[in-house]
Each structure stands twice: as C-alpha cells, then as structure tokens.
Amino acid sequence: MNVNGLSIPVITLDTAIIGSGCAGLNAADWLYTFGRKNIAVITEGVNMGTSRNTGSDKQTYYKLSLASDGKDSVSDMASDLFKGLGVNGDTALAEAAGSVRSFIKLCNLGVPFPMNEYGEYVGYKTDHDPRQRATSAGPLTSKMMTECLERAVKEKGIPILDGLTAFRLLVIDNHVEGILCLDQNHLDGPALGMTVVRTTRVIMATGGPAGCYLNSVYPQSQTGMSGMALEAGADGSNLQEWQYGLASIGFRWNVSGTYQQVLPRYISVGSDGNEHEFLLEYFDDPCKALDMVFLKGYQWPFDSAKIHMSSLIDIAVHHESTVLGRRVYMDYRRNPSGLENGFDGLNDETRCYLSNSGALFGTPIERLEKMNRPAIELYQQHDIDLYKEPLEIGVCAQHHNGGIAVDANWQSTVRGLYMAGEAAGTFGVYRPGGSALNSTQVGSLRAAEHIACTTDPDTVISKVFEKLAVHEISSLLLQLNRSINPEAQSTVQEIRHRITSAMSSYAGHLRYEESMEELEDSLKELLSDYYQIATVSALSELPDLLRCRDTIITQLAVLSAMRHASDQYGSRGSALVLSRNGTLLSERLQIKYLPKREPASNYLNITRKHGVEFKSELKQVRPLPRPDGWFENVWNEYRCKTKNIYRGL
C-alpha cells in the first residue's frame, strides 16, 4: 500500500487474533480446527501478558463439578454465575455449558489438573463459590495453559506475528475492516514500522486494561489495549467493576489462599525502622483478627460488604501505607499475636481447616511448607526467601470484572469484532474465583465457532478500505513525527506514572467523587493535545507512546462508568465510595462512605463513546435462557448451524 510515497506492508487474513495468552491461542487453535487456515496471532511480545506471568498460591480454574460428591449441572453453574449481579444470562449459560468441553481439552493438551485414583477431578471451594467447583494445577496454572495451547498452535503451523503492536481498528459502517500495527523490528524506517492487517474478523484477546493503575499486580509487561475497541465504537460493560486485593509488590503476585490461611504476622515499619503488628489497632480481639486473616484466603478480593470483616484488612493495609506512609509486610517467620497459647482461641472454621490440612502447629512458614511448598518456592525463584525476610505487600488492582460488551457469541457491538478473555465484559460485581480462566477458554471457543459457522473467508481489499487506511496512516505519521524529538527528554513514562498514580489514589477500591471528576477533566485535556504533550526521544519508544494513549482512553471510559455507578449504586462490590466530604478511618473503625443502593432490577452499566467523551447508562441484563432441550430439534438446528465446519462428515 502506497501512502505519500511510502510503501506500507499489508498482511491479508481471514481472521486476526490479537493477543498470545490462553484466550488468543485457544481462539487460533479452534479456528484452525474449524477449517479456517488463513489466520494469525498478532502479539507485541509472545512472552508478555497476564496468562504467562501471573498466578496465586494455587491459581484457580473454575469449572463444572466432575467428581462423584459434587452434585452439579450446567443450569446450576449458570445460575450461580448469573447471581453475580450485572451478568448477562446468555453468556453465563454459555460459560457453564462450555466448561467441561474446554476443561477436558486442556487436560488432553497436557495441563496437569489433579485427579484422584479413579480419575475424578476433585474440587475445592473458592470465593463466591457455593459448591466445590475449583481446581488448580498450582501457582502457575494459566502459564501451563498458555504453554500447552502455544504448542498446539505451533504444531498446526499457525503464524504467530511476534513484535507487532496492534493499536487501531479500522471500521467502516460499524464493521471492522482491518488493523493498524507498528512493527517493532522496523521502527527506524520512514514509515515508522506502520503495517496494515486487512481482515474483516478480529478476535481481541488483549487481557484486562492493566495499564490503568500504578498499584497493580498485573505483570509489568502488560498494559491491555481496551481503548482500541472503545475508540472504534464498541460499548463497554461494567467498566467500574474491578477486583482489588493484597499482593506482594517487590515481585508482583497475589497473596491469597494459603498465603493467608497459614496466619502470617502483619507488620508495618515506619521511617524510624520500628515495626508493630498494626491489625491489633483495627480489631478488638487478636484472635478475631486472625480469623479474618484466614477468611482473607478465599475472600481475597476487597468487598465493600465486608469492610468490618475480612476486607478491613485491606483498609488497614491501605491506611498504614498510603495515609501513614509506612511499609507493610506479611511476616512468616514468627507467629502473630493471638497464638501465644496455641490455636484454641480461633473459631471453628479456621482451626478445623488447619487441622484437616495437618498444619495445626509451628510458625506460619512451617504451616505454609506443610500445606503448599510451591508457594514458598515461587518466591525463592524471584530471590525472596520467606524463611528469612518478611514479604512487602500493598492493595493492588488484580482483575477487571468489566470489559467490552459482548453477545452470547462474544461479538462486540462492532460487527466482526470479538472479545475473549479478560478483555470481554462478561463478569459482574461478584464472580467465583477462577471463573476468568474458564471464560478465556469458553469465550474464545464461542467466537471461533461463530466465525466458522456464519461467515465465508474474505480477503478482498476494497477501494473504500484502502482510502480509509491511507487517510489514517497519513494522519498518524504526522502526529507521531510531531512527538519524536531526539533532543528532548521523553515524557511518556512521566505521564504514565502521573495518570496511573492518580487512578490508584482516587479511583481504586476507595473512590473519591470529587477527585474522580477532576481526574476525568484532566485526562480529557491531556488526550486532546496528546501528541503535543507526549514526546519520545527514541523510535523504540513509539509503542509506549501509543499504549499510553490507549490507557488514557480506557481510563476516561472507566471513570465515566465509575462516576455513574457511584450515583446509581453508591458503595457496592469492589468500590467503597467516599462522598465529597467523606473521611476514612477518622477514628478507629469509623468509615464514612456512601451507602449501598440497589435498583429494582439487575442492570449492566454500559459506557459508549460520544464524540470526544464517554457517557454511561444502565441497561437491564439479558435473562437466563431456557433453551429447547428436545433432542431432535436441537440436532436439526445444530446440523444446519455447523454445516460449514462439518461438511462431508
């Protein structure tokens, strides 16, 4: 493609998958199985992203129960997902129905989910889980999933275009027609690495918008690119809904599950070097504090409904670090106050759990070694020895429960644009722990199957598309060249630090109404003059320049959703909303905040681009379907629907 005398490479595909995590790789693998061969995975870095680089004490995969003592059904699981508030019934049913198919595929690919001697996949209970549907292959479950799926993709010969940063969707009449990318290997050319991908079907599996917050447990290599879809006109759904929780900050990792259940000692250290067990200042009884630490294990996400229970620990950690300026640690070397005379002062749930685990003895590190030695080894691999040093922690953003709105086939409101994994807005206020991993597999399967069943390959480059691409590239090259100044100091990292720090301070698990409004105004101003304000001194920083802009767009949409949700709901789920004159911990346990309010019906918070800003409104959720279960009818419909896939069988 010729743009102002410059030759721009064009890659023509039937379907493009953006993202190389377990959602993107699964989408590519299924598309190939369904007969679509002219496909490729586009990734800015095959080893980047959350799937490969994050986890917890034993990272959870939430699935339909597959053991003899777990009475369950697709309908029951769908109902439990739907109860999370702000969840569409059709996506809940699809995630439940596709659970076993997706889980067994992973097992067959080699993910070592544990079985008992008879081959049952036994489960355990996780947060917001009424049954025992959870399983785990250990701290690195999603990494194992990604590696197994990558191996399957490579065995099929599906191209993985590594080092290609997708940053803009080309849309005509609300239908995706292509993608603009930067080739990181050719940034020094006159076209600045600009590359066009011509495709009428895109599956975005770019993960959650990890770049929104400074205090984050997302891997530093991931920022997300949700702004690309929002700018293209896709609706956002529940963008205000996040999960925040305790995480180590030297090495970013969730400290949930066993890390809490072994009852570590919580300490904070001031500038004078003195330490103290600060939980004793927030709970009247040290044993009650320990029971709440135990509950923090599976009530790990911050929850405004538990601010006088286990989530008071998050508030205490925040207060010690952000308000008092102290460094906060979990110490496994010594027992906390409350265990001086043994374990009898603990409540039955805490004591019985430790007893059943054979860990009703010793120090926290000894209990952790007994219950989950891989959790210790994980930190040792990152030069943190829990036997010898305390673990520094903070309250961090961990998962986005909102995302881009999708239908039951994971297609967005922009036709041809599908979302999979955390980028899709299928979660509501509360989701069972580990359901995100199930969603990566089911959502990407649904998107791939819908593409294969309902479309024919299209690789024609129309004159209308070429005209749009030339116009967009011409404009972008002018803007990018305006930001490149080898003589000046780069401002991108300073801008990123400033805007993410503001989000963590005013729009995290504690949300300040007035400050969010001021932040939204400042981000609008920054975006309007972005290429004049943001400068890079080296061409290698161009991808960072575009990622930072994407983050600003996402933050604006998120803030619109947060402010609207604050007006409609008050404090709910992961958000404790402080009014304009609200205070936090003005006195011991005295927290002034907006009370929870619930509308009469179950709603989504939909956010849509209007000109240069975003506006949000409530929309009632789609109900749980009650599909026809008569076999002959389903069989006939299925044969008709899948004729493109199973032709000749």
Side-chain angles (χ1 to χ4, degrees):
M1 183 177 291
N2 186 285
V3 180
N4 300 334
L6 300 175
S7 179
I8 306 296
V10 179
I11 301 169
T12 305
L13 299 171
D14 169 57
T15 302
I17 303 99
I18 308 175
S20 55
C22 52
L25 293 171
N26 191 54
D29 188 61
W30 275 117
L31 276 168
Y32 190 96
T33 299
F34 294 147
R36 295 301 175 96
K37 305 297 168 60
N38 183 27
I39 62 176
V41 175
I42 297 170
T43 177
E44 59 184 344
V46 73
N47 292 317
M48 299 164 66
T50 296
S51 295
R52 291 181 191 268
N53 298 289
T54 194
S56 58
D57 70 314
K58 51 181 188 291
Q59 192 179 16
T60 301
Y61 191 106
Y62 187 75
K63 50 146 187 59
L64 197 74
S65 298
L66 293 173
S68 55
D69 62 348
K71 296 179 181 179
D72 205 354
S73 70
V74 169
S75 177
D76 287 344
M77 182 173 172
S79 178
D80 290 335
L81 292 171
F82 185 67
K83 289 174 184 174
L85 294 178
V87 178
N88 282 315
D90 50 6
T91 58
L93 182 57
E95 288 189 4
S99 168
V100 173
R101 183 182 182 187
S102 297
F103 177 74
I104 295 302
K105 174 185 175 178
L106 292 172
C107 296
N108 291 340
L109 287 176
V111 181
F113 290 110
M115 297 182 291
N116 66 15
E117 59 184 311
Y118 302 104
E120 293 179 302
Y121 290 99
V122 298
Y124 60 89
K125 190 175 181 180
T126 185
D127 48 299
H128 308 308
D129 175 13
R131 300 177 187 269
Q132 291 184 316
R133 296 189 178 112
T135 186
S136 174
L140 302 174
T141 299
S142 64
K143 183 175 186 290
M144 295 176 186
M145 291 167 55
T146 306
E147 290 170 345
C148 288
L149 288 162
E150 181 185 8
R151 185 167 60 246
V153 164
K154 287 183 174 178
E155 286 173 353
K156 292 178 174 66
I158 301 170
I160 298 177
L161 307 180
D162 202 0
L164 208 59
T165 301
F167 67 89
R168 180 163 297 183
L169 295 169
L170 299 175
V171 175
I172 300 173
D173 295 332
N174 199 42
H175 195 293
V176 68
E177 301 287 342
I179 313 165
L180 292 188
C181 306
L182 280 190
D183 186 343
Q184 297 173 26
N185 300 311
H186 297 92
L187 296 174
D188 55 353
L192 302 179
M194 201 72 68
T195 301
V196 175
V197 176
R198 163 59 179 163
T199 180
T200 55
R201 286 167 290 275
V202 175
I203 300 177
M204 276 186 64
T206 51
C212 282
Y213 289 99
L214 179 65
N215 299 336
S216 169
V217 75
Y218 286 97
Q220 292 176 320
S221 57
Q222 186 193 338
T223 57
M225 292 297 284
S226 299
M228 178 166 58
L230 291 163
E231 188 173 33
D235 286 356
S237 178
N238 294 332
L239 295 177
Q240 77 283 356
E241 301 297 346
W242 292 74
Q243 281 187 189
Y244 311 93
L246 299 176
S248 56
I249 57 180
F251 163 59
R252 294 185 174 191
W253 203 255
N254 298 327
V255 287
S256 57
T258 326
Y259 288 117
Q260 303 294 338
Q261 289 161 337
V262 299
L263 307 181
R265 182 169 167 260
Y266 274 76
I267 59 174
S268 67
V269 179
S271 57
D272 56 5
N274 293 325
E275 66 176 50
H276 74 288
E277 288 187 70
F278 61 89
L279 291 186
L280 303 180
E281 300 176 7
Y282 299 87
F283 292 93
D284 295 322
D285 179 359
C287 285
K288 181 181 179 182
L290 294 181
D291 290 329
M292 292 303 107
V293 170
F294 172 82
L295 287 176
K296 196 74 201 155
Y298 58 84
Q299 293 179 354
W300 177 79
F302 176 80
D303 183 357
S304 59
K306 299 181 178 69
I307 58 172
H308 295 294
M309 296 181 288
S310 62
S311 288
L312 182 56
I313 295 171
D314 304 85
I315 293 177
V317 169
H318 173 87
H319 189 247
E320 292 289 315
S321 58
T322 303
V323 179
L324 301 181
R326 301 171 67 87
R327 299 177 71 177
V328 180
Y329 301 86
M330 287 162 53
D331 186 2
Y332 292 88
R333 300 167 299 175
R334 294 166 49 192
N335 272 324
S337 297
L339 295 183
E340 296 89 347
N341 299 315
F343 299 88
D344 291 343
L346 302 174
N347 69 23
D348 291 343
E349 182 179 11
T350 307
R351 191 174 60 257
C352 288
Y353 187 95
L354 291 171
S355 178
N356 291 341
S357 302
L360 205 62
F361 70 95
T363 61
I365 192 64
E366 291 170 336
R367 295 190 286 273
L368 188 58
E369 182 174 9
K370 169 67 177 177
M371 292 171 65
N372 190 356
R373 182 163 180 79
I376 301 173
E377 294 170 347
L378 177 78
Y379 278 104
Q380 289 175 333
Q381 293 165 8
H382 293 84
D383 300 320
I384 299 173
D385 190 343
L386 299 183
Y387 290 98
K388 297 179 179 179
E389 60 185 306
L391 183 66
E392 187 168 9
I393 62 169
V395 184
C396 298
Q398 179 261 353
H399 190 276
H400 197 198
N401 279 0
I404 305 303
V406 296
D407 63 14
N409 297 301
W410 270 249
Q411 185 171 205
S412 75
T413 53
V414 175
R415 288 174 294 136
L417 175 63
Y418 298 78
M419 312 300 296
E422 194 179 340
T426 58
F427 308 114
V429 182
Y430 298 109
R431 67 174 181 86
S435 59
L437 290 185
N438 178 63
S439 186
T440 65
Q441 301 306 283
V442 177
S444 51
L445 162 61
R446 296 281 297 184
E449 195 166 35
H450 189 253
I451 289 169
C453 288
T454 62
T455 67
D456 295 317
D458 174 19
T459 57
V460 177
I461 300 179
S462 68
K463 291 294 183 182
V464 175
F465 170 77
E466 187 170 357
K467 183 177 180 181
L468 172 64
V470 168
H471 176 268
E472 290 286 333
I473 293 170
S474 298
S475 175
L476 275 163
L477 288 174
L478 284 173
Q479 293 171 320
L480 292 177
N481 279 304
R482 194 177 295 134
S483 290
I484 300 169
N485 188 348
E487 307 299 322
Q489 186 174 357
S490 173
T491 61
V492 172
Q493 296 308 319
E494 182 277 326
I495 291 172
R496 177 176 292 283
H497 185 274
R498 174 161 45 89
I499 62 176
T500 58
S501 178
M503 284 289 290
S504 287
S505 296
Y506 308 122
H509 65 297
L510 303 179
R511 298 177 185 172
Y512 297 81
E513 287 187 306
E514 186 174 16
S515 298
M516 288 196 296
E517 184 177 355
E518 292 171 355
L519 177 56
E520 190 174 356
D521 289 340
S522 69
L523 288 173
K524 288 178 186 175
E525 185 176 344
L526 174 59
L527 184 62
S528 65
D529 295 318
Y530 180 72
Y531 291 108
Q532 286 75 38
I533 299 171
T535 59
V536 294
S537 57
L539 293 173
S540 60
E541 295 178 280
L542 284 177
D544 289 333
L545 180 75
L546 293 170
R547 292 186 200 107
C548 185
R549 181 178 180 274
D550 191 275
T551 295
I552 295 169
I553 294 169
T554 306
Q555 288 175 326
L556 280 168
V558 167
L559 285 166
S560 169
M562 284 181 172
R563 293 181 58 219
H564 187 248
S566 297
D567 290 340
Q568 298 295 320
Y569 301 122
S571 297
R572 186 180 78 157
S574 63
L576 193 66
V577 181
L578 282 75
S579 59
R580 293 178 184 272
N581 298 315
T583 58
L584 177 69
L585 290 173
S586 56
E587 298 176 14
R588 184 181 181 185
L589 300 183
Q590 297 301 309
I591 308 169
K592 299 179 181 179
Y593 58 93
L594 292 184
K596 175 182 176 182
R597 300 188 300 274
E598 288 289 1
S601 298
N602 193 357
Y603 288 97
L604 305 165
N605 193 19
I606 298 297
T607 302
R608 186 173 295 122
K609 187 172 180 287
H610 289 265
V612 296
E613 63 181 8
F614 290 93
K615 295 182 180 180
S616 299
E617 62 181 1
L618 295 186
K619 180 180 179 181
Q620 195 158 359
V621 299
R622 302 190 294 269
L624 272 169
R626 296 286 183 258
D628 178 11
W630 191 257
F631 179 81
E632 280 70 17
N633 294 340
V634 173
W635 185 27
N636 285 327
E637 291 172 4
Y638 182 75
R639 285 163 51 207
C640 180
K641 183 181 76 171
T642 59
K643 62 184 178 182
N644 289 345
I645 298 177
Y646 301 113
R647 185 181 290 114
L649 295 181

